[in-house]
Amino acid sequence: MQRRRLLSLFSPLPFLAVGLAATLGLAGCEGKQPFQSFDLTDAKYARGFELPDFDGQTRRLQDFRGKLVVVFFGFTQCPDVCPTAMTDLVEVKRQLGADGDKLQAVFVTVDPERDTPEVLKAYIANFDPSFVGLRGTPEQLAQVVQEFKVYYKKVEGKTPGAYTMDHSAASFIYDTQGRLRLYLRPGAGPQVLLGDLQLLLKER
């Protein structure tokens, strides 16, 4: 189980692209306060999504123009990484104070089989009702995962239905114009996210 959790946190696929983007992004950061997350400005992937939310309404990245958007892939039965990421987002929104309403968290489930609309809606509401949960068909999910270059895999348990999901656990951050800007590594903590979002808000 520990090995699977490590694979979820450090899936090589996104980090290959992130490493290159971070290196390229450093050249344009001279004279500016640096981001603590990986700079993905001008990256040619994770450019958007189109998935139904738990109410059946199709959501797109451009729907949230004017807000800082944080996209995270996970599942409601995730034992630790997902609830930690969601709790961090709640805390960051609180610490943003008057700017808290400019943060839009988007949770994309990689387990649509068990994460029914009702289950997903209740899960999201447990953290913050303003957060959005997205649940696509397996085909829709596969397209979005390919666009974002993230990893997920169903891992069967000892009994039928007792499976878990390995998955990439990083977050993608977009500025208020809907442009991909940052890749927040798993476990970075709320203060890293808070500082980076504050820097993005100052760009306006």
Side-chain angles (χ1 to χ4, degrees), residues 5 7 24 31-32 40 53-54 67 71 86 112 118 121 139 144 149 156 166 180 187:
R5 185 173 294 116
L7 284 173
L24 295 175
K32 297 181 180 180
L40 291 185
D53 64 14
F54 39 62
K67 293 190 176 186
V71 177
M86 296 293 285
E118 295 77 17
K121 187 171 186 175
E139 293 76 19
V144 172
K149 299 184 184 299
E156 296 293 348
D166 280 351
L180 175 63

Side-chain angles (χ1 to χ4, degrees), residues 36 88 91-92 94-95 188-196 198:
Q36 296 183 70
D88 286 351
E91 175 61 16
V92 167
R94 185 189 68 81
Q95 292 194 41
Q191 294 310 309
V192 170
L193 177 58
L194 175 64
D196 285 346
Q198 289 172 329

Side-chain angles (χ1 to χ4, degrees), residues 42-94:
D42 298 326
K44 303 303 181 185
Y45 65 99
R47 290 162 292 190
F49 54 81
E50 184 173 341
L51 288 171
D53 64 14
F54 39 62
D55 291 323
Q57 178 182 351
T58 298
R59 300 294 191 110
R60 303 171 181 83
L61 178 61
Q62 54 265 37
D63 296 339
F64 307 109
R65 187 66 61 90
K67 293 190 176 186
L68 298 172
V69 179
V70 179
V71 177
F72 179 82
F73 291 79
F75 64 113
T76 64
Q77 295 193 37
C78 178
D80 42 28
V81 175
C82 302
T84 298
M86 296 293 285
T87 301
D88 286 351
L89 283 165
V90 172
E91 175 61 16
V92 167
K93 181 179 178 180
R94 185 189 68 81

Side-chain angles (χ1 to χ4, degrees), residues 164-178:
T164 187
M165 300 294 296
D166 280 351
H167 64 96
S168 301
S171 299
F172 297 83
I173 302 172
Y174 299 79
D175 63 22
T176 57
Q177 301 304 309

Side-chain angles (χ1 to χ4, degrees), residues 93-112:
K93 181 179 178 180
R94 185 189 68 81
Q95 292 194 41
L96 283 171
D99 288 328
D101 62 350
K102 297 182 176 68
L103 171 61
Q104 180 61 62
V106 177
F107 181 95
V108 182
T109 179
V110 297
D111 186 16

